[in-house]
Amino acid sequence: MKFSDYNISSEIKEQLKVLGYNKPTDIQFKAINHILNGEDVMAIAQTGTGKTAAFAIPTLNVLQKKSKYNTGIRCLVMVPTRELAKQIAKVYQDIGKKTGVKVFGLYGGVDQEQQISTLNNGVDVLVCTPGRMFDLISQGAIDISGIKFLVLDEADLMLDLGFAKDIKDVMHHIPQKRQTLFFSATISKKIKSLAYDVVRNAIRIQISPKNPVAKTITHTIMDVEMDDKRFFLENIIKENEEQKMIVFVRTQVRVERVVAAMERVAISSEGLHGGIEQKDRFAILDRFAKGENKVLITTDVACRGIDIPMVEAVINYDIPDNPENYVHRCGRTGRGKHRGQALSFCSESEKELVLAIEEYTGDEIDRFDLDKGDYLEILGGSDDGSNNWQKLIDQENKFKDLDKEW
Ligand code: AMP
């Protein structure tokens, strides 16, 4: 089935063509017609599957048809992060460009006055993070009492970030009679219970989390000691200068440290994490999306759900604590038909985490065959002055001790 066969407006069809969407993706195929029929949907699908358009296309179609008879916010899309609010609002704006439906992405960290004035001019689709939305509801600047659609996106991350109460509170501000579209990247008891609180007789859709990752991505694990990781990152970046890479590390402080370590060896990279001011976060993502900066070093939260084209490699500088995050991280590369690499640095203390990932995905990840000569060569090849000969000698002694143990 092609989009041209769907019962959606010619304005939306034209825009889909402009965006290069010809055929629906799996999630779109399974969700769009149900949403057009007025049904609730509960879907387990990740970013990369085309899930945003799966709810944006039908909701825009309904809103476009009824636009003459209704005013005020009619579709509320709640998302966990500011980056996602901006990204999803953009998808709505792109697909709905010719529909006349007014879309606004609302989030904290930026001036309220400008936002209030945009809201006063009329908004049909509000894509927002909970915090700023509640601020503006309490100031009387937002009225969501007339919404027709409630979309909860990345619901599992909303729970992880502590938004469960906000989701429940929002139910007091919206009509009982509405259509609810619930999207989560993963499923758990908590997610199910939240979903059943908000949806009614929902159509259930599950897009396997393994598929988007497995088909186009090559996964490799490399045994690297914690203190040596920066030298290996340096080596990989220098050997693949033209490639766009996302490097995932565990904490904000480590982001800063790795950026500084790369700077010392003349590699330009940018760090992204929740401690950076919002406008800077957007600018950093923009530069990375445009390829002006090729190496993005980030924590999990700052990068979740973000759709950036043509990322050739994901480096797990630190192995994620939660196996699901491994799948999320790797999903940043190998998008659509493009191939991607996912390389994970595994120190001794992280081996258990790798086993947990393999159990979760059901696949054993290939080990990179690195002998001790190659390992030392990478350390020795670093341009970092702090990587002096003493370090190499220490490392060599460590290997000798290991040999003895064998
Ligand atoms: P999402 O999972 O919503 O973040 O979408 C992932 C990517 O797939 C985005 O870059 C979309 O532009 C793209 N996309 C979504 N639907 C389609 C489609 N039907 N055909 C081609 N690309 C699509």
Side-chain angles (χ1 to χ4, degrees):
M1 194 158 173
K2 289 186 172 165
F3 280 122
S4 49
D5 303 323
Y6 272 76
N7 190 14
I8 50 178
S9 74
S10 54
E11 289 81 5
I12 293 179
K13 282 183 187 170
E14 272 170 38
Q15 264 314 99
L16 292 177
K17 228 187 237 167
V18 172
L19 296 170
Y21 298 8
N22 297 317
K23 278 194 341 213
T25 62
D26 200 10
I27 177 81
Q28 291 162 5
F29 180 70
K30 288 177 176 155
I32 290 176
N33 279 332
H34 288 293
I35 301 173
L36 288 172
N37 285 340
E39 289 164 278
D40 280 9
V41 164
M42 177 188 165
I44 306 301
Q46 293 187 300
T47 303
T49 54
K51 71 181 164 72
T52 317
F55 56 82
I57 293 169
T59 48
L60 278 165
N61 191 67
V62 174
L63 299 179
Q64 180 186 2
K65 277 193 192 150
K66 297 198 173 157
S67 62
K68 288 176 210 133
Y69 313 107
N70 287 290
T71 52
I73 298 165
R74 287 172 298 142
C75 176
L76 175 66
V77 184
M78 282 174 75
V79 297
T81 68
R82 296 161 181 179
E83 283 80 5
L84 271 171
K86 192 171 179 230
Q87 180 177 297
I88 291 171
K90 170 91 172 43
V91 173
Y92 263 96
Q93 276 152 357
D94 286 346
I95 297 175
K97 196 171 175 188
K98 301 190 173 115
T99 60
V101 175
K102 287 190 265 181
V103 181
F104 184 42
L106 176 88
Y107 36 81
V110 291
D111 182 42
Q112 281 193 10
E113 293 314 307
Q114 183 64 44
Q115 293 180 329
I116 292 172
S117 117
T118 306
L119 285 160
N120 287 341
N121 287 334
V123 166
D124 301 302
V125 178
L126 183 67
V127 185
C128 61
T129 50
R132 182 57 59 95
M133 177 189 71
F134 280 114
D135 279 354
L136 296 188
I137 287 178
S138 66
Q139 291 175 40
I142 291 182
D143 177 5
I144 49 174
S145 62
I147 63 159
K148 160 136 189 63
F149 292 105
L150 170 67
V151 183
L152 292 176
D153 192 24
E154 301 274 345
D156 50 346
L157 185 58
M158 292 245 220
L159 288 190
D160 287 351
L161 296 178
F163 291 136
K165 187 173 174 306
D166 290 324
I167 296 172
K168 292 204 170 125
D169 286 351
V170 96
M171 300 302 147
H172 303 306
H173 294 272
I174 60 177
Q176 288 259 332
K177 191 169 175 299
R178 59 164 195 270
Q179 208 176 331
T180 304
L181 314 174
F182 184 99
F183 289 80
S184 176
T186 55
I187 184 92
S188 66
K189 257 193 190 157
K190 270 193 193 161
I191 284 292
K192 269 193 199 158
S193 130
L194 175 71
Y196 291 128
D197 280 349
V198 295
V199 299
R200 252 157 279 150
N201 299 327
I203 300 295
R204 275 180 277 174
I205 300 169
Q206 182 149 8
I207 303 296
S208 164
K210 289 164 202 166
N211 289 346
V213 172
K215 278 189 210 149
T216 51
I217 303 174
T218 312
H219 297 255
T220 319
I221 301 263
M222 200 185 251
D223 287 333
V224 183
E225 277 315 305
M226 203 51 106
D227 289 346
D228 298 335
K229 287 184 175 184
R230 59 202 162 112
F231 306 119
F232 279 76
L233 182 63
E234 172 189 350
N235 177 272
I236 284 161
I237 296 174
K238 286 189 173 159
E239 299 238 316
N240 300 281
E241 266 180 356
E242 286 311 305
Q243 288 198 7
K244 224 155 125 182
M245 291 181 198
I246 304 185
V247 181
F248 284 97
V249 299
R250 191 169 294 132
T251 62
Q252 297 188 1
V253 174
R254 276 175 77 72
V255 168
E256 299 294 345
R257 282 207 190 123
V258 179
V259 170
M262 291 306 105
E263 206 176 309
R264 283 203 298 276
V265 292
I267 288 175
S268 100
S269 67
E270 289 200 87
L272 181 73
H273 57 71
I276 294 172
E277 254 199 55
Q278 192 56 51
K279 64 174 184 357
D280 297 332
R281 274 160 67 174
F282 286 147
I284 290 165
L285 274 173
D286 251 16
R287 283 193 288 273
F288 184 63
K290 287 184 193 142
E292 291 166 12
N293 160 45
K294 291 207 179 295
V295 181
L296 184 71
I297 300 173
T298 179
T299 53
D300 281 311
V301 166
C303 216
R304 170 82 180 262
I306 294 300
D307 177 40
I308 292 174
M310 300 300 288
V311 176
E312 278 104 346
V314 162
I315 312 281
N316 292 306
Y317 190 88
D318 294 321
I319 308 288
D321 291 332
N322 177 345
E324 284 163 8
N325 278 352
Y326 178 82
V327 180
H328 290 307
R329 289 177 177 190
C330 297
R332 306 302 103 219
T333 184
R335 322 275 293 181
K337 293 195 180 76
H338 300 290
R339 295 206 63 79
Q341 300 278 340
L343 175 64
S344 304
F345 293 163
C346 176
S347 67
E348 197 58 38
S349 61
E350 293 172 306
K351 289 198 163 149
E352 294 270 318
L353 297 174
V354 170
L355 292 180
I357 290 166
E358 291 180 323
E359 199 168 300
Y360 176 73
T361 59
D363 276 327
E364 198 177 324
I365 307 172
D366 286 340
R367 269 42 179 189
F368 197 92
D369 198 10
L370 194 69
D371 65 26
K372 84 178 179 191
D374 296 335
Y375 195 106
L376 291 176
E377 206 177 308
I378 289 173
L379 294 191
S382 170
D383 290 329
D384 189 336
S386 67
N387 181 30
N388 53 29
W389 284 104
Q390 189 55 50
K391 170 128 190 89
L392 283 178
I393 292 164
D394 290 348
Q395 190 65 45
E396 181 64 30
N397 287 338
K398 203 157 92 190
F399 277 127
K400 275 189 192 140
D401 290 343
L402 277 177
D403 281 346
K404 266 190 229 147
E405 279 172 31
W406 280 97

